[in-house]
Amino acid sequence: MNIDRLLQQSGGSATIPPVDTWQPALSGDIDIRIQADGTWLHEGSPFARPAIAKLLASLLRRDADGYCLVTPAERWRVTVDDRPLMIVEADFRDDAWWLTTQFEDVVRLDGDHPLSLSMTPDGELAPECAIRFGLAARLHRNVFYRLVEQARVDETAEGHTACLLYSAGLWHPLGQWSDSMPSEAP
């Protein structure tokens, strides 16, 4: 995978290519790791140029082989500690929350891009949002607290207490607990 050539071809464009339609064979593993906090590493060091991480994020998808960087000719598996993307901004307009990742993906929190709860590598239940091509993003701590301020606490049919956020006509879970003590924030 020639990164400099990919950067030149993209021209700095933020357009997400149709990686879901490309079906090259798995080329192998590449020494890229995405940490739980959203930091992208190559050979153990953060990328020196943010534009490279942004470009690679546009080529990322999750498939049966795991998280892969995909071009029409190559598919390289990368290591992802938790989720590959981090939501760093949330804005409310037009009766919905709009969430933005560190690479400027913007999604409307709705039925196509819902929040769901899943376990982190540390064993904590935390919200994530579906973004694209099987990828999901965790909420940055600041965004989580901002959304919790706008949420309501309610009892679920299963007897849990849930923290729920309204967006685009739906209630989305930010957290839940069974006892009187809520679990820690993500």
Side-chain angles (χ1 to χ4, degrees), residues 9-55:
Q9 289 173 349
S10 76
S13 170
T15 303
I16 304 295
V19 300
D20 59 327
T21 64
W22 298 338
Q23 301 303 323
L26 184 64
S27 304
D29 295 326
I30 192 167
D31 192 2
I32 292 177
R33 178 175 164 223
I34 306 169
Q35 295 179 313
D37 68 357
T39 302
W40 285 54
L41 307 174
H42 180 250
E43 297 179 348
S45 298
F47 282 95
R49 296 186 297 175
I52 292 175
K54 184 176 181 178
L55 169 69

Side-chain angles (χ1 to χ4, degrees), residues 7-186:
L7 274 173
Q8 287 175 343
Q9 289 173 349
S10 76
S13 170
T15 303
I16 304 295
V19 300
D20 59 327
T21 64
W22 298 338
Q23 301 303 323
L26 184 64
S27 304
D29 295 326
I30 192 167
D31 192 2
I32 292 177
R33 178 175 164 223
I34 306 169
Q35 295 179 313
D37 68 357
T39 302
W40 285 54
L41 307 174
H42 180 250
E43 297 179 348
S45 298
F47 282 95
R49 296 186 297 175
I52 292 175
K54 184 176 181 178
L55 169 69
L56 293 177
S58 75
L59 299 174
L60 190 66
R61 77 175 187 211
R62 185 174 186 185
D63 57 30
D65 291 313
Y67 291 98
C68 295
L69 298 174
V70 184
T71 70
E74 299 175 276
R75 186 165 54 100
W76 293 93
R77 187 173 32 231
V78 301
T79 302
V80 177
D81 291 348
D82 184 21
R83 299 298 179 264
L85 302 170
M86 181 70 60
I87 294 170
V88 296
E89 189 176 316
D91 296 302
F92 190 82
R93 64 181 185 279
D94 303 325
D95 201 36
W97 284 96
W98 294 81
L99 307 175
T100 306
T101 70
Q102 79 269 40
F103 298 116
E104 300 172 5
D105 293 280
V106 177
V107 297
R108 180 178 183 242
L109 184 58
D110 58 19
D112 291 331
H113 301 98
L115 283 180
S116 61
L117 299 176
S118 63
M119 294 300 244
T120 67
D122 296 333
E124 296 178 6
L125 194 60
E128 65 177 63
C129 183
I131 303 295
R132 59 179 155 81
F133 307 135
L135 305 179
R138 291 282 185 213
L139 303 177
H140 186 277
R141 187 173 299 275
N142 293 342
V143 171
F144 175 79
Y145 286 125
R146 177 162 185 229
L147 296 178
V148 164
E149 288 176 351
Q150 304 302 315
R152 78 176 197 195
V153 174
D154 222 345
E155 295 296 319
T156 68
E158 297 83 24
H160 299 288
T161 302
C163 183
L164 302 168
L165 179 71
Y166 181 82
S167 180
L170 301 171
W171 289 96
H172 301 267
L174 285 170
Q176 74 177 24
W177 56 94
S178 327
D179 304 329
S180 59
M181 296 294 293
S183 62
E184 291 187 28

